[in-house]
């Protein structure tokens, strides 16, 4: 096993945390703990340019973690009579819908869509609601929701929006202005997985974090990228609260953390193929990461039941659907933890009600799909009558329409026939 002194030998590193000292503290009563703003996120690229500064570490030390003393649990003014959509709007507010409307219309304009009809807030809400419905009522192809087959087609979806309009919204749906997007393979183009600049920015805003990091991420110390460790050995680098850890389990595990002490390895049991338990030492950052992975697993379990939308080749659309699913799950948890709400109300019912309230009887169809026959009853179907047989009113209506259509065809054919006879007569007179 590698001891702490073994894995913290004098070596230069590209590892950098912040310009402030390691005894960083947070004051929850100041305005500095607000949510990450666009300007603060924009500093990540400038921070990434400073990672080449060499920092030498001779030993590891305990990190400083402030005690969390803020109120916990749901904090809102909603009561048991509030619609479930109000809970969803707590985590996915109307401002996001307005942003989606603006960016979708802008992207359609940038693409030069001549026949594009600008979308609206109500239509965007209905579009998101349909995405939720399609996650509940899943079909091999999303176009099958508009099928004329009564066993496949969904009349509610068809009545809300025509297929062509849904496809147009799907094509131009956007969440960001492409003209402000950074180029690939540059610091401005970051997928915001775990990275040194991201973890450092979260820490500067009072948010501790712990996550797996790719070995080729910019900012990770060079000596940690290609370690030569046997199973159970660890290599670490530290600057202030930020610790980078690589641990050899069955494969190399790379962890970046600000919430765990780098020292104090504890035992962990790993079973071999024969079922024999073999004990290894596991560093605290890895233990902290694996301990709270259960929460991630529960979130993924909720998401996997009824995934929103349909598959797409564009990764950012998958990311948006992921955020939407997390918002639905968090809104449901807030609803369940609010006193007085129904305990038997499950996530599926919650999603259905959210979708219905988002759509809210919206329809952009110029011609409604008939759901009732002319006499006000249900759609036409064959039934046994308790009176003498008579012609069905619905069939009579269809027959009259067929007769009018056939009459128009006959009149048109006769008109063409007369025109042809007149033309033949004129040609005959000219040739004489």
């Amino acid at each position: 096993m590698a001891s702490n002194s073994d894995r913290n030998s004098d070596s230069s590193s590209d590892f950098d945390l912040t310009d402030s000292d390691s005894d960083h503290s947070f004051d929850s009563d100041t305005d500095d703990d607000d949510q990450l703003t666009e300007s603060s996120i924009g500093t990540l690229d400038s921070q990434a340019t400073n990672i080449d500064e060499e920092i030498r570490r001779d030993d590891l030390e305990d990190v400083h973690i402030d005690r969390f003393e803020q109120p916990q649990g749901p904090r809102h003014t909603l009561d048991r009579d509030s619609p479930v959509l109000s809970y969803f709007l707590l985590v996915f507010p109307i401002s996001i819908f307005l942003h989606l409307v603006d960016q979708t219309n802008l992207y359609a304009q940038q693409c030069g869509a001549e026949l594009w009809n600008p979308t609206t807030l109500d239509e965007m809400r209905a579009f998101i609601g349909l995405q939720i419905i399609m996650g509940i009522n899943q079909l091999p192809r999303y176009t099958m929701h508009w099928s004329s087959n009564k066993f496949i087609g969904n009349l509610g979806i068809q009545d809300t929006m025509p297929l062509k309009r849904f496809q147009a919204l799907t094509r131009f749906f956007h969440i960001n202005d492409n003209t402000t997007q950074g180029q690939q393979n540059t610091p401005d183009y970051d997928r915001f997985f775990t990275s040194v600049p991201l973890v450092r920015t979260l820490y500067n805003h009072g948010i501790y974090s712990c996550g797996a990091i790719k070995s080729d991420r910019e900012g990770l110390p060079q000596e940690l990228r290609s370690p030569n460790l046997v199973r159970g050995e660890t290599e670490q680098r530290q600057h202030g609260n930020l610790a980078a850890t690589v641990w050899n389990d069955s494969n190399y595990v790379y962890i970046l953390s600000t919430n765990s002490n780098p020292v104090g390895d504890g035992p962990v049991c790993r079973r071999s193929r024969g079922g024999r338990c073999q004990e290894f030492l596991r560093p605290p950052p890895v233990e902290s990461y694996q301990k709270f992975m259960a929460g991630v697993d529960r979130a993924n379990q909720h998401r996997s039941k009824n995934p929103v939308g349909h598959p797409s080749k564009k990764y950012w659309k998958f990311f948006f659907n992921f955020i939407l699913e997390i918002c639905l799950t968090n809104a449901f948890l807030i609803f369940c933890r609010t006193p007085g709400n129904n305990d038997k109300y499950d996530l599926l019912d919650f999603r259905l009600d959210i979708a219905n309230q988002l759509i809210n009887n919206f329809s952009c169809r110029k011609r409604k799909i008939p759901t009732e026959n002319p006499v006000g009853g249900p759609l036409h179907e064959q039934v046994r009558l308790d009176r003498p047989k008579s012609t069905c009113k619905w069939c009579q209506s269809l027959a009259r329409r067929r007769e009018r259509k056939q009459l128009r065809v006959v009149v048109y054919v006769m008109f063409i026939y007369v025109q042809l006879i007149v033309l033949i007569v004129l040609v005959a007179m000219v040739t004489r």
Side-chain angles (χ1 to χ4, degrees), residues 85 97 121-134 154 156-157 159-161 351-364:
L85 182 60
F97 287 99
L121 174 61
D122 290 339
E123 186 178 49
M124 183 58 66
R125 287 173 46 140
F127 179 73
I128 299 299
L130 292 182
Q131 299 280 359
I132 299 174
I133 292 294
M134 290 180 182
N154 188 311
I157 293 178
D159 185 58
T160 302
M161 190 175 299
R351 290 194 176 206
L352 280 173
D353 288 342
I354 291 293
N356 288 330
Q357 294 178 27
L358 282 174
I359 297 173
N360 194 25
N361 295 323
F362 172 84
S363 179
C364 59

Side-chain angles (χ1 to χ4, degrees), residues 157-284:
I157 293 178
Q158 296 174 17
D159 185 58
T160 302
M161 190 175 299
L163 174 59
K164 290 186 177 180
R165 181 58 179 176
F166 183 86
Q167 290 175 329
L169 284 173
T170 302
R171 176 186 176 188
F172 295 114
F173 179 76
H174 232 60
I175 60 177
N176 183 51
D177 185 359
N178 284 358
T179 59
T180 62
Q181 178 178 301
Q183 299 296 322
Q184 293 191 19
N185 302 321
T186 64
D188 292 334
Y189 192 89
D190 199 312
R191 292 177 293 179
F192 280 89
F193 290 140
T194 307
S195 65
V196 174
L198 178 60
V199 171
R200 182 171 54 190
T201 300
L202 292 174
Y203 177 74
N204 290 338
H205 284 78
I207 303 175
Y208 297 99
S209 58
C210 178
I213 184 174
K214 297 176 64 176
S215 60
D216 58 350
R217 291 292 286 177
E218 190 174 11
L220 192 69
Q222 190 65 37
E223 53 268 30
L224 298 185
R225 299 189 178 189
S226 301
N228 185 16
L229 306 173
V230 299
R231 187 173 187 181
E233 288 188 338
T234 304
E235 186 76 21
Q236 291 178 298
R237 294 294 182 271
Q238 180 186 11
H239 183 71
N241 260 52
L242 182 55
T245 304
V246 55
W247 178 57
N248 189 0
D249 194 5
S250 56
N251 295 302
Y252 285 118
V253 179
Y254 296 86
I255 299 294
L256 204 61
S257 65
T258 56
N259 66 344
S260 300
N261 289 323
V263 295
D265 295 7
V268 62
C269 179
R270 293 289 185 264
R271 294 192 178 276
S272 60
R273 291 185 178 179
R276 184 172 58 90
C277 180
Q278 188 175 2
E279 192 173 273
F280 298 97
L281 289 180
R282 179 177 58 178

Side-chain angles (χ1 to χ4, degrees), residues 87 91 325-336 347 350:
Y87 291 89
V91 293
E325 291 164 354
I326 293 297
C327 289
L328 287 168
T329 301
N330 287 339
F332 175 69
L333 294 178
I334 295 174
F335 174 85
C336 292
L347 181 58
F350 184 80

